[in-house]
Amino acid sequence: MLAAGEIGDVPAALCCPESGDETKNTEEKSDVNTAALVGSEQLGQGGGDHELLLYVSAFIEKEVGSDLKSLKTLGKLIEQMTESKVKLEEQVLTISSEIPKRIQSALKDAEEAKQALGDILGQEAPLFSSINSHLLIAQPWTDDLGAMISQIEEIERHLTYLKWVSQIEELSDNIQQYLMTNSVPEAASTLVTMTELDIKLQESSCTHLLSFMRATVKFWYKILKDKLTSDFEEILAQLHWPFITHTQSQAVGASRPASTPETYASLETLFCQLLKLQASDELLTESKQLPEKYCLPASPSVALPIQIMLVPLQKRFRYHFRGSRQTNVISKPEWYFAQVLLWIGSHSHFLDEKIQPILDKVGSAVNARLEFSRGLVMLILEKLASDIPCLLYDDSLFCHLVDEVLLFERELHSVHGYPSTFASCMHILSEETCFQRWLTVERKFALQKMDSMLSSEAAWVSQYKDITDVDEMKVPDCAEVFMTLLLVITDRYKNLPTASRKLQFLELQKDLVDDFRIRLTQVMKEETRAPLGFRYCAILNAVNYISTVLADWADNVFFLQLQQAALEVFAENNVLSKLQLGQLASMESSVFDDMINLLERLKLDMLTRQVDHVFREVKDAAKLYKKERWLSLLSQSEQAVMSLSSSACPLLLTLRDRLLQLEQQLCFSLFNIFWQMLVEKLDLYLYQEIILANHFNEGGAAQLQFDMTRNLFPLFSHYCKRPENYFKHVKEACIVLNLNIGSALLLKDVLQSASEHIPATAALNEVGVYKLAQQDVEILLNLRTNWPNPGK
């Protein structure tokens, strides 16, 4: 019995339309076949007469329904069902005849496979026994062969070992012969070869061979180094090395003895031979390292010939600045800083002119002057590492030491070109204990400086008050000194070796800014009773100046690099939200944003106080102007000349005096913000309290326009080209009130006929009204009293 799905596929294929005329009949047959298939599935699954009856009744209900006319199609339906039954029986017969053939073929294949497997199993048993017997016979041979191979490998190892020993002895004999014939260059070259072999053997487990190799290299290295060092020192002595004073180094270059060419030739020869011993020196000599807490960058040892050149200077340094010598004074670090800088300067010319060409000739990448400087700087670092713990808790001595270190570093880098990647004094100052002490002292002295600058008599006076070009910002002395203090702090820490240390100093600067802002706020609160006073304005100028400078610093490359470093730290510690991190990464915000926002808030608050104060004065002065009788004023034609309303004089005088006063006391940018904020309030006041609160005849409207356009607006013409644009409400109200009768009537009609869907914007724009809403204009038109009499 086939599954319902398999039976269902065949009729669908057989019922495909063969011609265009049979399309309709074929669709009907397809529906019948589908129904028959569904029925067969249900019958097969249910297996009972009850299901059959249910299915037949459902099928007839679907095909015939309650419409008696559809009974005509029963004949055609029976015909289709019969045809479908015949086709299904044919399919069943075809498939049932094919299945036995397939089963017989599969059984035959299985029998053949079973027979082949039996043959293989029959062959396996004798083959297994044959292999076992062969392995038993070959086992003694295998054991003997394995033992022989082990012996051969052991002999090969011994032979290799002996070859290495022989090679070492051969190289050692060659060095001895070269030294006996005074062929030092060849001996040095052979030692280089021996050193390379030593380096290759580092991974070997032959400890005795390694010890023998190392002892041999060390033996010949000491002999060669002592001989070459002795000869090299003799040559240096002939050249009067070291040059203790600058004049001595110049004398070596200027007046040379007769043997100078030979001397310099010997210098070059010995220098090159010592360079060959560099690899042996690095292998055998452990360079002096300061403790790991100083985090010095990894660096190779100083070139061997330059080490020898440094020896007399190192002796002098230790003689003068170690022990109980009078020159070793802990309170005078500038003495040894100055001495080292003097030595670097005194020897730079000789190193550049005589030593550097030798290094270039042999293809070395070493810079003679920098190597020499590096060797001397290491003396400074050792000295600092020993001295700092002794003065760590003496503020004055520690601060003096830091100042001298920073001066030394500045000259070392700027004058002598010392790279920032080399070990420097800043690494010593970056050690945790020392660094935290530095931060504490820096904060302490900064706060003391802030106290003194704010208590100074000239704290709120600008240094450049008499120089107009320089005094644009009108910066009080305390603000300028404070920003100079921050700038000095930046210069002090900008050469620190790690970004984490720089970020700690940046936090210190931000704390100082916040502290100074709080102090300014406290002083400002004492001056709130006189917001137009000199000191209040000086505080406002100070806040504006600090905010402006910090915004400029935010775009500085140094602070942008710190911002990137901060971004990495915040990302690692999950301190900020994704939005804040995104803003930092996209440079939308800066490291000073928090401080700038607080300062801007304070600035706005102070400006608002000033604006409110002046506005109150202006309102008091405008009381008479509010009471002006705008209904009974003479028209323009009835007056010989238009003049300012007498009641407007106090208002305009007060406004003028305050503008002049604040223009002199506030910087340009602040004054611009001030007068624009004031104008915004004044515009609304005049519009709401004077214009909308009165009615105007023709003379009153003309007088108002004259007072505004010819007297009020010009007060601000010094600060902008078109002051009337800042009095939009007043200006447009004057336009509406002074429209001639015809235009006013026409505009009134347009406004009355306008609706939400058809606004009167075009008509308003035509008369010059852009700011006021349609309802406002209607109110203004109703304030006019010079309408024509409807009765006439």
Side-chain angles (χ1 to χ4, degrees), residues 334-346:
E334 60 268 29
W335 288 356
Y336 57 82
F337 286 134
Q339 185 63 75
V340 167
L341 290 172
L342 178 63
W343 285 343
I344 293 173
S346 299

Side-chain angles (χ1 to χ4, degrees), residues 563-564 567 579-589:
Q563 181 172 338
Q564 184 61 33
L567 177 65
L579 174 61
Q580 290 171 316
L581 287 174
Q583 289 174 339
L584 274 176
S586 61
M587 302 299 174
E588 290 179 13
S589 60

Side-chain angles (χ1 to χ4, degrees), residues 121-268:
L121 291 173
Q123 296 172 9
E124 185 264 343
L127 185 61
F128 180 74
S129 61
S130 174
I131 289 171
N132 280 337
S133 62
H134 180 73
L135 288 174
L136 290 173
I137 296 169
Q139 186 62 44
W141 298 350
T142 306
D143 295 341
D144 295 342
L145 187 61
M148 291 177 66
I149 290 172
S150 299
Q151 291 175 5
I152 291 169
E153 289 175 348
E154 184 70 19
I155 292 168
E156 283 181 346
R157 283 197 296 272
H158 289 193
L159 184 60
T160 304
Y161 192 95
L162 290 173
K163 282 181 180 179
W164 275 102
V165 173
S166 174
Q167 189 174 3
I168 294 168
E169 290 180 342
E170 182 182 351
L171 291 171
S172 180
D173 292 341
N174 290 342
I175 292 173
Q176 186 176 8
Q177 289 176 6
Y178 287 137
L179 289 177
M180 290 173 66
T181 58
N182 206 25
S183 301
V184 178
E186 289 79 4
S189 300
T190 308
L191 182 60
V192 171
T193 305
M194 190 182 291
T195 304
E196 291 173 353
L197 290 177
D198 191 340
I199 294 169
K200 287 181 182 178
L201 278 174
Q202 292 303 308
E203 297 179 0
S204 173
S205 58
C206 303
T207 55
H208 295 293
L209 180 62
L210 286 171
S211 300
F212 175 63
M213 170 67 88
R214 183 60 56 85
T216 308
V217 171
K218 191 173 184 178
F219 174 78
W220 289 117
Y221 166 75
K222 187 176 184 310
I223 292 173
L224 277 171
K225 182 187 176 186
D226 290 346
K227 178 174 178 53
L228 290 172
T229 300
S230 176
D231 296 343
F232 192 58
E233 286 175 344
E234 286 182 12
I235 296 297
L236 290 175
Q238 293 177 26
L239 295 171
H240 307 289
W241 181 274
F243 312 137
I244 305 306
T245 63
H246 188 62
T247 54
Q248 186 179 348
S249 66
Q250 290 177 336
V252 171
S255 57
R256 300 172 185 169
S259 59
T260 295
E262 293 79 9
T263 305
Y264 282 113
S266 301
L267 176 72
E268 180 177 348

Side-chain angles (χ1 to χ4, degrees), residues 110-120:
E111 288 293 336
E112 292 175 356
K114 182 179 178 183
Q115 187 175 354
L117 181 61
D119 295 341
I120 292 171

Side-chain angles (χ1 to χ4, degrees), residues 371-386:
E371 282 289 282
F372 182 79
S373 301
R374 187 158 68 94
L376 290 176
V377 167
M378 285 307 298
L379 293 173
I380 295 282
L381 302 189
E382 292 170 7
K383 175 68 174 168
L384 285 174
S386 65

Side-chain angles (χ1 to χ4, degrees), residues 641-675:
V641 179
M642 289 286 289
S643 61
L644 174 66
S645 299
S646 58
S647 58
C649 291
L651 161 67
L652 296 177
L653 284 172
T654 302
L655 199 55
R656 183 201 65 180
D657 293 343
R658 291 312 183 201
L659 288 172
L660 288 174
Q661 178 186 354
L662 290 171
E663 185 182 13
Q664 292 174 356
Q665 293 183 349
L666 294 179
C667 71
F668 179 75
S669 60
L670 283 176
F671 181 70
N672 266 347
I673 299 171
F674 167 80
W675 73 256

